[in-house]
Amino acid sequence: MSAPLRLRRDADALVANWRALARLSGLATCGAAIKADGYGLGARWVATTLMAAGCREFFVATWAEAAALADLGLPALSVLHGVRAEDMALARSGIATPVLNTTAQAARWRDSGGGACHVMLDTGMNRLGLGEGDLAAGALDGLAVDVVMSHLACADEDSAMNGVQLRRFGELAPRVPAQRRSLANSAAIALGPDYAFDLTRPGLALYGGVPRGELAGMIRQVAFPQAQVLQRRSVPAGQTVGYNATWTAPADTDVAIVNYGYADGYFRGFSNRGHALFDGAELPVIGRVSMDLIAIDVTGHDVAEGDWLDLDFALPLAAAQSGMSQYELLTGLSGRFEQA
């Protein structure tokens, strides 16, 4: 059965974004974060597309995500959230490499036989990662560490904290007997070569997000939601559209009711602010976005029941319109889309 929602994914744009980020990474290897089902676009599609383009390092959040990709034969797959006791059987199977974040994880990995691992250091974000005291206490003794990494809290801003964390990483990383160092996500790649080290880990910008102005103009849109018109109707002047009557027709208005809503990741912040696209024209969303439906002003346009409309989903603009972050917009895309 065909769905009344389609998600067009531009593989050429995905590859172009990765190559642009790889150029900015300089001599560092450029990997790809494909967690959260490839930021909502399908991790298998993203992984196979980028692997064919030359990407060799991939990152997911959990072992369940790693298991779902195990048959693809990815050259290198890392699990960012480490290894819980519940993960050990799968982790020891060799499908991916754990990024150890706590002393308990380090001890668990060592006691199970060790082997290649990565290590996350906390350089000031106070989220996941080992600290200076953990290193001094010998938490990593006897471990074969490939990559030592950290994560910036404010890379998308011109914050003094970026420099503080960079210096802190420079102090702590040499205390880990690792082969490589990694600090930069998408935004940090744009901060310059000092942040690249040996391996970069872009995520958002691969998928069309622009976390810093330096990336504007080089990052292409990848995700293009499309929805089908279920009904075209005429709304007389003075009547309202949608829940809570937040839009009133200033004149007789032709309205398309479209199969798309917040259950599909088109959030209520787009109410009376978003746009659909049809034959090059921007058509405004009118009224409140509901769970499964939105209304579009199609006055003067030949839009009929059964037609397909593109939703304006260029991420920086869509984030400004909706009040949601670019990350939320991508990962909020639902499983009801028929992907192409």
Side-chain angles (χ1 to χ4, degrees):
M1 295 179 64
S2 64
L5 289 168
R6 300 189 300 218
L7 183 64
R8 182 170 67 84
R9 302 170 298 182
D10 188 334
D12 291 339
L14 176 68
V15 170
N17 291 343
W18 177 73
R19 287 177 174 160
L21 293 162
R23 287 193 296 272
L24 287 178
S25 297
L27 296 178
T29 298
C30 185
I34 57 173
K35 60 185 181 176
D37 196 26
Y39 284 54
L41 301 189
R44 296 179 68 85
W45 175 78
V46 173
T48 54
T49 301
L50 291 183
M51 183 167 57
C55 184
R56 291 295 178 264
E57 303 263 358
F58 298 90
F59 300 88
V60 294
T62 68
W63 287 94
E65 291 182 333
L69 304 174
D71 63 310
L72 296 182
L74 299 178
L77 181 62
S78 304
V79 177
L80 292 166
H81 291 182
V83 57
R84 306 170 302 157
E86 300 94 322
D87 300 322
M88 285 306 300
L90 193 56
R92 296 309 320 180
S93 72
I95 64 170
T97 302
V99 179
L100 305 178
N101 294 284
T102 70
T103 56
Q105 289 181 3
R108 184 177 296 123
W109 188 247
R110 181 172 49 243
D111 293 346
S112 71
C117 63
H118 308 315
V119 168
M120 177 68 71
L121 298 178
D122 176 27
T123 56
M125 192 171 186
N126 285 303
R127 203 172 62 167
L128 292 176
L130 294 157
E132 183 175 12
D134 300 320
L135 301 182
L140 301 179
D141 289 353
L143 291 177
V145 182
D146 179 9
V147 180
V148 59
M149 60 183 71
S150 191
H151 195 68
L152 297 182
C154 305
D156 58 345
E157 301 174 351
D158 291 328
S159 170
M161 192 171 179
N162 295 326
V164 170
Q165 286 193 263
L166 178 63
R167 289 192 297 274
R168 188 64 173 150
F169 188 62
E171 294 165 357
L172 290 179
R175 299 175 60 178
V176 179
Q179 301 298 310
R180 299 181 291 167
R181 301 178 188 181
S182 178
L183 181 62
N185 63 358
S186 295
I189 289 173
L191 290 176
D194 289 347
Y195 291 82
F197 291 95
D198 302 302
L199 172 65
T200 59
R201 315 186 306 270
L204 179 67
L206 292 173
Y207 308 105
V210 183
R212 290 189 61 90
E214 295 91 335
L215 298 177
M218 70 176 68
I219 296 300
R220 293 167 51 182
Q221 186 173 347
V222 177
F224 297 83
Q226 301 172 320
Q228 198 167 26
V229 175
L230 299 181
Q231 184 182 42
R232 181 181 175 125
R233 62 187 305 124
S234 295
V235 177
Q239 291 199 12
T240 62
V241 169
Y243 283 122
N244 304 112
T246 64
W247 183 87
T248 301
D252 293 350
T253 304
D254 294 327
V255 176
I257 306 302
V258 177
N259 197 111
Y260 195 36
Y262 57 74
D264 307 300
Y266 198 71
F267 298 108
R268 288 181 67 171
F270 285 107
S271 300
N272 292 306
R273 301 189 70 188
H275 291 87
L277 304 172
F278 185 76
D279 286 343
E282 288 189 356
L283 308 180
V285 173
I286 56 176
R288 182 156 288 170
V289 174
S290 59
M291 183 181 294
D292 309 299
L293 298 169
I294 55 174
I296 307 292
D297 182 348
V298 296
T299 305
H301 297 276
D302 188 21
V303 176
E305 183 175 326
D307 285 345
W308 288 85
L309 299 181
D310 291 295
L311 277 300
D312 197 346
F313 208 68
L315 287 171
L317 173 62
Q321 288 178 336
S322 66
M324 309 294 285
S325 75
Q326 297 177 65
Y327 296 88
E328 290 169 296
L329 292 174
L330 278 172
T331 59
L333 293 169
S334 82
R336 297 201 292 188
F337 285 96
E338 186 175 285
Q339 294 184 333

